[in-house]
Amino acid sequence: MSPLPPPEPLAPLVRKLLNTHPLSNEDQVAILSLPRSLRQLENGQYIVREGDVPTHCCLVVTGFAVRHKIMGDGARQIVNVHVAGDMVDLQNSLLTVADHNVQALTTMKAAFVPRDAIVELAFTRPAVGKALWLETLIEGSIAREWIGNVGRRDSVTRVAHLLCEFAYRLDAVGIGKACNYELPMTQEQIADTVGLTSVHVNRTLKGLEESGLITRSRRSVVIDDLARLAEVGDFRSTYLHLPHEPLAA
Amino acid sequence: MPRYFFLLHECGTVFDDDDGVELDDLEAARAVALKGARDLMCGEITRGHLCLGCRIEVRDVRGNTVLELRFRDAIQISG
């Protein structure tokens, strides 16, 4: 039941699902055989807009995407950041209207799968259905953690928490090493993620650097002391429901 | 769009801005500085301390200072 070899475009999805649920070879082949159209997206390009009636679900094959909501005054709140293997709008497989936006954060490759095909696969192959269900549950868990993060933690804790989360999530899908990864987000985008301003995020990141917890150059983040960063960030990985042992701190 | 850099002068320490933000004009930069100053002050107050002497210096891409905003000018204090 090991993952089938790439370069199948939907292979990142299989890999991701296998993190949480076993799938037979037949199940894996069925996922890889889903109808899809591949598209190259530019940084900033919209995948779904609030109010759209979606016909497809989108898988991140390479690159990064964000989900966000725009407030009445134009302020943006990023509600999740997605990496390779993530279905960015699995809820649109059953919900009829998109309730938030999904936008490419980097140049990215995306696979668009007709929603009917996903629903059919989920109902004809129970293991796939359960794995996809688990995906949405874990997303809900992450969303709950983020509510706690922006609602109840101070700026330093918020940013440290986010950096820890990326370390675990990127490591889980094999993108970069846990303590050394690319984070293609500007200060402004991080600010929109943690509910602060870019000036405040800059101050906070610099503070974490001065404390010897992280080193940043351009878009890369090096976590110099994960145990301490996790402590500062009030971070416990339980809510990510990862299959492996927590990262060695 | 021009890029502006927001340097924070905080109690003797200067926090450089390596990223900057692309904005329409200086007026938009002023709004970003104002919001940033207020946001930083909120964080300070939550921790029970506020220094009104801090300031945000806005520079253009050539490194020229185009705006300075002192924290004490970012809020109205009464009472």
Side-chain angles (χ1 to χ4, degrees), chain A residues 120-162:
Chain A
E120 195 191 326
L121 183 66
F123 282 88
T124 50
R125 293 193 166 270
V128 178
K130 194 172 165 193
L132 291 171
W133 191 1
L134 275 167
E135 277 305 293
T136 60
L137 293 178
I138 293 169
E139 264 202 20
S141 172
I142 292 173
R144 287 190 289 279
E145 184 70 25
W146 282 35
I147 291 171
N149 207 34
V150 298
R152 285 292 181 230
R153 292 189 177 120
D154 70 18
S155 55
V156 176
T157 316
R158 275 183 222 184
V159 173
H161 188 279
L162 187 71

Side-chain angles (χ1 to χ4, degrees), chain A:
Chain A
M1 289 198 283
S2 56
L4 295 172
E8 293 283 350
L10 299 182
L13 175 60
V14 173
R15 180 187 173 143
K16 179 84 191 302
L17 295 180
L18 281 171
N19 269 345
T20 47
H21 197 264
L23 296 168
S24 68
N25 281 346
E26 291 75 22
D27 287 332
Q28 294 183 39
V29 169
I31 294 170
L32 294 175
S33 310
L34 277 166
R36 73 274 180 163
S37 53
L38 276 178
R39 273 167 57 195
Q40 187 82 25
L41 301 172
E42 295 306 315
N43 176 4
Q45 202 170 333
Y46 275 83
I47 296 167
V48 181
R49 283 179 193 271
E50 187 175 345
D52 282 355
V53 177
T55 54
H56 292 71
C57 288
C58 170
L59 169 78
V60 181
V61 180
T62 60
F64 288 70
V66 290
R67 298 182 191 224
H68 62 82
K69 292 185 87 93
I70 305 286
M71 305 300 120
D73 64 357
R76 179 174 72 160
Q77 178 65 46
I78 292 175
V79 294
N80 208 339
V81 179
H82 288 293
V83 300
D86 287 351
M87 296 291 293
V88 295
D89 56 351
L90 199 52
Q91 77 284 348
N92 288 340
S93 60
L94 289 173
L95 297 176
T96 48
V97 179
D99 53 49
H100 61 277
N101 309 287
V102 185
Q103 199 175 7
L105 182 66
T106 59
T107 305
M108 61 176 279
K109 200 181 283 176
F112 290 81
V113 182
R115 51 187 256 157
D116 296 344
I118 289 188
V119 173
E120 195 191 326
L121 183 66
F123 282 88
T124 50
R125 293 193 166 270
V128 178
K130 194 172 165 193
L132 291 171
W133 191 1
L134 275 167
E135 277 305 293
T136 60
L137 293 178
I138 293 169
E139 264 202 20
S141 172
I142 292 173
R144 287 190 289 279
E145 184 70 25
W146 282 35
I147 291 171
N149 207 34
V150 298
R152 285 292 181 230
R153 292 189 177 120
D154 70 18
S155 55
V156 176
T157 316
R158 275 183 222 184
V159 173
H161 188 279
L162 187 71
L163 295 178
C164 286
E165 180 177 313
F166 284 134
Y168 279 72
R169 283 176 62 187
L170 292 175
D171 185 72
V173 292
I175 304 172
K177 294 199 179 77
C179 289
N180 186 351
Y181 58 85
E182 288 291 317
L183 181 61
M185 297 179 85
T186 62
Q187 286 166 16
E188 208 179 359
Q189 288 160 339
I190 295 173
D192 286 348
T193 306
V194 294
L196 298 168
T197 56
S198 55
V199 180
H200 202 161
V201 165
N202 186 32
R203 164 75 183 85
T204 305
L205 287 169
K206 290 251 157 57
L208 291 173
E209 279 193 279
E210 275 181 4
S211 308
L213 298 175
I214 62 165
T215 310
R216 282 173 84 233
S217 56
R218 307 294 281 159
R219 296 279 171 266
S220 81
V221 175
V222 176
I223 297 178
D224 299 306
D225 190 336
L226 184 61
R228 269 179 65 213
L229 189 68
E231 202 175 307
V232 169
D234 187 25
F235 179 85
R236 291 168 303 281
S237 64
T238 324
Y239 72 98
L240 293 172
H241 300 278
L242 295 171
H244 312 296
E245 288 295 303
L247 298 178

